[in-house]
Amino acid sequence: MESIVQALTDAYAQTWQEVLAGAIIFDLVYFAAGGVFYFYLFERRTNGLTLQQLPRYIVDPHLLRRTAPIEDARQSARIDRRSWLLRFLWAPPLTALATTLALVFGVFLSGKLDGWLGPRTPVSWPEWAILLCQVGTVFVVGDFGNYWNHRWMHRVPIYWSFHRVHHSAETLNYFTGDREHPLEVLPSVIIQGFWNGLGAGVVLWATGTSLQSGTLPALVALGVVWHIRTILYHSHFPLSFGPLDYIIGGPIMHQLHHSAESHHFSRNFSVQLFIWDWIFGTIYVPAKGETFRLGLSEEELGKANPHGTLKGLYLEPIQNAWRVLRCNGNRDRA
Ligand SMILES: [Zn+2]
Ligand SMILES: [Zn+2]
């Protein structure tokens, strides 16, 4: 128990604050650099945009790409920004809960496996190899869990009631990745905590090692990379990684996941590695230049968007979930 408390103290007090503070700055720089790069390569040449429009393009690219009527796009972006601010009130404890659950469950499980299958002789690998093995296993098992968690969000009607908040965005920008309902995030962190803990428990037992001091910071750093990707995913830069879209997924792959068009529904659930969509047959690689409207569905755009206000964004999912419980609510989009 003491080692768990110690690991948690290290993770939060020393690593998290520094890494996350750095991440916000890095995010902004990375996002802006992506914007400048894309602007120069595509927009400036094809649409003849001027240099004076560049700052506006970076913070509000949808205004120029016109994926939605301008007023609908502006309202969607406004709600993104407000919900992003409000998120600070409830998200940090839930993030902490995910890490705590993963750590406690991981250590508990490896102890149980010791009891059930007998302890393993500790591997005699160099420290860096043990670290790599621990981080790699937790990452891959956790990401497999991410894929299924996201698939369940779309498949389980009550879970979808809350995940709809993320999909009701009609434009993508810096804040859209964090457009989530707390009642989606709560079950989500518990499920993620379980999968990450499962990865940790199995690798600790199989290698006969204890948690390396660098494992948590490395996983936090990976979380930062994830966050940066989330920002590029929620942008209008239609970047594809070519054949690598099947393995790591370019931003275009997640942008497609936000399509309001029914033939795009239930595709591209992967969060980090896109091999999961490939393996389980849910991958959709958009054709070059393929465009689509973003949002919940073609019937719930603009004035019909149930989350056109902050109040709607927080309350409508609860009403929807209540209707689902009484068996006549919005079903999943499969
Ligand atoms: Zn989704
Ligand atoms: Zn998204």
Side-chain angles (χ1 to χ4, degrees), residues 281-298:
T282 48
I283 202 159
Y284 184 110
V285 182
K288 207 169 187 293
E290 185 171 351
T291 56
F292 36 85
R293 269 293 295 269
L294 304 168
L296 267 178
S297 69
E298 282 164 311

PDB file of all heavy atoms in Angstrom, residues 281-298:
ATOM      1  N   GLY A 281     -12.654  -4.291 -38.296  1.00  0.00           N
ATOM      2  CA  GLY A 281     -13.483  -3.984 -39.470  1.00  0.00           C
ATOM      3  C   GLY A 281     -14.298  -2.713 -39.384  1.00  0.00           C
ATOM      4  O   GLY A 281     -15.329  -2.595 -40.036  1.00  0.00           O
ATOM      5  N   THR A 282     -13.856  -1.748 -38.589  1.00  0.00           N
ATOM      6  CA  THR A 282     -14.625  -0.495 -38.493  1.00  0.00           C
ATOM      7  C   THR A 282     -13.844   0.678 -39.097  1.00  0.00           C
ATOM      8  O   THR A 282     -14.209   1.825 -38.875  1.00  0.00           O
ATOM      9  CB  THR A 282     -14.966  -0.177 -37.019  1.00  0.00           C
ATOM     10  OG1 THR A 282     -13.783  -0.317 -36.232  1.00  0.00           O
ATOM     11  CG2 THR A 282     -16.051  -1.089 -36.487  1.00  0.00           C
ATOM     12  N   ILE A 283     -12.809   0.371 -39.858  1.00  0.00           N
ATOM     13  CA  ILE A 283     -11.983   1.465 -40.399  1.00  0.00           C
ATOM     14  C   ILE A 283     -12.635   2.065 -41.649  1.00  0.00           C
ATOM     15  O   ILE A 283     -13.313   1.366 -42.413  1.00  0.00           O
ATOM     16  CB  ILE A 283     -10.543   0.974 -40.690  1.00  0.00           C
ATOM     17  CG1 ILE A 283      -9.578   2.164 -40.730  1.00  0.00           C
ATOM     18  CG2 ILE A 283     -10.453   0.148 -41.988  1.00  0.00           C
ATOM     19  CD1 ILE A 283      -8.130   1.795 -40.495  1.00  0.00           C
ATOM     20  N   TYR A 284     -12.482   3.378 -41.800  1.00  0.00           N
ATOM     21  CA  TYR A 284     -12.954   4.064 -43.008  1.00  0.00           C
ATOM     22  C   TYR A 284     -11.905   5.113 -43.352  1.00  0.00           C
ATOM     23  O   TYR A 284     -11.722   6.074 -42.601  1.00  0.00           O
ATOM     24  CB  TYR A 284     -14.306   4.732 -42.740  1.00  0.00           C
ATOM     25  CG  TYR A 284     -14.935   5.394 -43.961  1.00  0.00           C
ATOM     26  CD1 TYR A 284     -16.077   4.859 -44.555  1.00  0.00           C
ATOM     27  CD2 TYR A 284     -14.397   6.553 -44.520  1.00  0.00           C
ATOM     28  CE1 TYR A 284     -16.663   5.467 -45.667  1.00  0.00           C
ATOM     29  CE2 TYR A 284     -14.971   7.159 -45.626  1.00  0.00           C
ATOM     30  CZ  TYR A 284     -16.110   6.608 -46.199  1.00  0.00           C
ATOM     31  OH  TYR A 284     -16.685   7.216 -47.290  1.00  0.00           O
ATOM     32  N   VAL A 285     -11.208   4.899 -44.433  1.00  0.00           N
ATOM     33  CA  VAL A 285     -10.198   5.880 -44.868  1.00  0.00           C
ATOM     34  C   VAL A 285     -10.865   6.789 -45.906  1.00  0.00           C
ATOM     35  O   VAL A 285     -11.255   6.315 -46.970  1.00  0.00           O
ATOM     36  CB  VAL A 285      -8.958   5.181 -45.470  1.00  0.00           C
ATOM     37  CG1 VAL A 285      -7.909   6.211 -45.867  1.00  0.00           C
ATOM     38  CG2 VAL A 285      -8.371   4.189 -44.465  1.00  0.00           C
ATOM     39  N   PRO A 286     -11.049   8.074 -45.577  1.00  0.00           N
ATOM     40  CA  PRO A 286     -11.721   8.956 -46.527  1.00  0.00           C
ATOM     41  C   PRO A 286     -10.934   9.070 -47.834  1.00  0.00           C
ATOM     42  O   PRO A 286      -9.702   9.023 -47.833  1.00  0.00           O
ATOM     43  CB  PRO A 286     -11.750  10.308 -45.807  1.00  0.00           C
ATOM     44  CG  PRO A 286     -11.406  10.024 -44.395  1.00  0.00           C
ATOM     45  CD  PRO A 286     -10.610   8.772 -44.374  1.00  0.00           C
ATOM     46  N   ALA A 287     -11.677   9.196 -48.913  1.00  0.00           N
ATOM     47  CA  ALA A 287     -11.028   9.387 -50.213  1.00  0.00           C
ATOM     48  C   ALA A 287     -10.402  10.777 -50.236  1.00  0.00           C
ATOM     49  O   ALA A 287     -10.809  11.660 -49.476  1.00  0.00           O
ATOM     50  CB  ALA A 287     -12.065   9.264 -51.315  1.00  0.00           C
ATOM     51  N   LYS A 288      -9.427  10.962 -51.090  1.00  0.00           N
ATOM     52  CA  LYS A 288      -8.757  12.259 -51.195  1.00  0.00           C
ATOM     53  C   LYS A 288      -9.789  13.338 -51.544  1.00  0.00           C
ATOM     54  O   LYS A 288     -10.574  13.161 -52.479  1.00  0.00           O
ATOM     55  CB  LYS A 288      -7.675  12.186 -52.270  1.00  0.00           C
ATOM     56  CG  LYS A 288      -6.537  13.147 -52.051  1.00  0.00           C
ATOM     57  CD  LYS A 288      -5.378  12.814 -53.000  1.00  0.00           C
ATOM     58  CE  LYS A 288      -4.154  13.630 -52.698  1.00  0.00           C
ATOM     59  NZ  LYS A 288      -4.226  15.011 -52.933  1.00  0.00           N
ATOM     60  N   GLY A 289      -9.831  14.386 -50.751  1.00  0.00           N
ATOM     61  CA  GLY A 289     -10.756  15.484 -51.040  1.00  0.00           C
ATOM     62  C   GLY A 289     -12.195  15.229 -50.604  1.00  0.00           C
ATOM     63  O   GLY A 289     -13.062  16.066 -50.830  1.00  0.00           O
ATOM     64  N   GLU A 290     -12.454  14.078 -49.963  1.00  0.00           N
ATOM     65  CA  GLU A 290     -13.824  13.776 -49.509  1.00  0.00           C
ATOM     66  C   GLU A 290     -14.244  14.769 -48.418  1.00  0.00           C
ATOM     67  O   GLU A 290     -13.510  14.980 -47.459  1.00  0.00           O
ATOM     68  CB  GLU A 290     -13.875  12.338 -48.954  1.00  0.00           C
ATOM     69  CG  GLU A 290     -15.273  11.887 -48.564  1.00  0.00           C
ATOM     70  CD  GLU A 290     -15.341  10.393 -48.224  1.00  0.00           C
ATOM     71  OE1 GLU A 290     -14.362   9.668 -48.435  1.00  0.00           O
ATOM     72  OE2 GLU A 290     -16.414   9.977 -47.725  1.00  0.00           O
ATOM     73  N   THR A 291     -15.383  15.392 -48.593  1.00  0.00           N
ATOM     74  CA  THR A 291     -15.843  16.357 -47.588  1.00  0.00           C
ATOM     75  C   THR A 291     -17.159  15.878 -47.003  1.00  0.00           C
ATOM     76  O   THR A 291     -17.868  15.066 -47.604  1.00  0.00           O
ATOM     77  CB  THR A 291     -16.047  17.758 -48.192  1.00  0.00           C
ATOM     78  OG1 THR A 291     -16.960  17.640 -49.279  1.00  0.00           O
ATOM     79  CG2 THR A 291     -14.757  18.382 -48.670  1.00  0.00           C
ATOM     80  N   PHE A 292     -17.465  16.376 -45.818  1.00  0.00           N
ATOM     81  CA  PHE A 292     -18.691  15.949 -45.132  1.00  0.00           C
ATOM     82  C   PHE A 292     -19.061  16.997 -44.106  1.00  0.00           C
ATOM     83  O   PHE A 292     -18.201  17.702 -43.591  1.00  0.00           O
ATOM     84  CB  PHE A 292     -18.489  14.581 -44.462  1.00  0.00           C
ATOM     85  CG  PHE A 292     -17.104  14.370 -43.894  1.00  0.00           C
ATOM     86  CD1 PHE A 292     -16.794  14.823 -42.622  1.00  0.00           C
ATOM     87  CD2 PHE A 292     -16.091  13.771 -44.635  1.00  0.00           C
ATOM     88  CE1 PHE A 292     -15.521  14.659 -42.094  1.00  0.00           C
ATOM     89  CE2 PHE A 292     -14.804  13.602 -44.124  1.00  0.00           C
ATOM     90  CZ  PHE A 292     -14.528  14.044 -42.846  1.00  0.00           C
ATOM     91  N   ARG A 293     -20.359  17.081 -43.789  1.00  0.00           N
ATOM     92  CA  ARG A 293     -20.810  17.958 -42.721  1.00  0.00           C
ATOM     93  C   ARG A 293     -20.509  17.290 -41.395  1.00  0.00           C
ATOM     94  O   ARG A 293     -20.564  16.069 -41.264  1.00  0.00           O
ATOM     95  CB  ARG A 293     -22.328  18.187 -42.819  1.00  0.00           C
ATOM     96  CG  ARG A 293     -22.761  19.398 -43.655  1.00  0.00           C
ATOM     97  CD  ARG A 293     -22.384  20.745 -43.061  1.00  0.00           C
ATOM     98  NE  ARG A 293     -23.012  21.096 -41.807  1.00  0.00           N
ATOM     99  CZ  ARG A 293     -24.142  21.767 -41.691  1.00  0.00           C
ATOM    100  NH1 ARG A 293     -24.800  22.165 -42.758  1.00  0.00           N
ATOM    101  NH2 ARG A 293     -24.622  22.088 -40.498  1.00  0.00           N
ATOM    102  N   LEU A 294     -20.208  18.099 -40.385  1.00  0.00           N
ATOM    103  CA  LEU A 294     -19.909  17.551 -39.067  1.00  0.00           C
ATOM    104  C   LEU A 294     -21.108  17.741 -38.156  1.00  0.00           C
ATOM    105  O   LEU A 294     -21.807  18.752 -38.243  1.00  0.00           O
ATOM    106  CB  LEU A 294     -18.698  18.276 -38.463  1.00  0.00           C
ATOM    107  CG  LEU A 294     -17.421  18.268 -39.300  1.00  0.00           C
ATOM    108  CD1 LEU A 294     -16.418  19.254 -38.741  1.00  0.00           C
ATOM    109  CD2 LEU A 294     -16.817  16.871 -39.319  1.00  0.00           C
ATOM    110  N   GLY A 295     -21.338  16.785 -37.272  1.00  0.00           N
ATOM    111  CA  GLY A 295     -22.421  16.929 -36.306  1.00  0.00           C
ATOM    112  C   GLY A 295     -23.039  15.592 -35.960  1.00  0.00           C
ATOM    113  O   GLY A 295     -22.549  14.535 -36.360  1.00  0.00           O
ATOM    114  N   LEU A 296     -24.126  15.659 -35.175  1.00  0.00           N
ATOM    115  CA  LEU A 296     -24.791  14.457 -34.672  1.00  0.00           C
ATOM    116  C   LEU A 296     -25.414  13.633 -35.793  1.00  0.00           C
ATOM    117  O   LEU A 296     -25.194  12.436 -35.902  1.00  0.00           O
ATOM    118  CB  LEU A 296     -25.909  14.879 -33.723  1.00  0.00           C
ATOM    119  CG  LEU A 296     -25.583  14.970 -32.240  1.00  0.00           C
ATOM    120  CD1 LEU A 296     -26.810  15.438 -31.488  1.00  0.00           C
ATOM    121  CD2 LEU A 296     -25.109  13.635 -31.708  1.00  0.00           C
ATOM    122  N   SER A 297     -26.237  14.294 -36.599  1.00  0.00           N
ATOM    123  CA  SER A 297     -26.888  13.654 -37.741  1.00  0.00           C
ATOM    124  C   SER A 297     -27.440  14.776 -38.604  1.00  0.00           C
ATOM    125  O   SER A 297     -27.495  15.928 -38.171  1.00  0.00           O
ATOM    126  CB  SER A 297     -28.036  12.755 -37.281  1.00  0.00           C
ATOM    127  OG  SER A 297     -29.085  13.559 -36.769  1.00  0.00           O
ATOM    128  N   GLU A 298     -27.856  14.436 -39.811  1.00  0.00           N
ATOM    129  CA  GLU A 298     -28.339  15.485 -40.710  1.00  0.00           C
ATOM    130  C   GLU A 298     -29.613  16.137 -40.193  1.00  0.00           C
ATOM    131  O   GLU A 298     -29.955  17.243 -40.592  1.00  0.00           O
ATOM    132  CB  GLU A 298     -28.522  14.905 -42.121  1.00  0.00           C
ATOM    133  CG  GLU A 298     -27.155  14.787 -42.803  1.00  0.00           C
ATOM    134  CD  GLU A 298     -27.135  13.897 -44.032  1.00  0.00           C
ATOM    135  OE1 GLU A 298     -27.646  12.760 -43.948  1.00  0.00           O
ATOM    136  OE2 GLU A 298     -26.605  14.325 -45.049  1.00  0.00           O
TER     137      GLU A 298
END
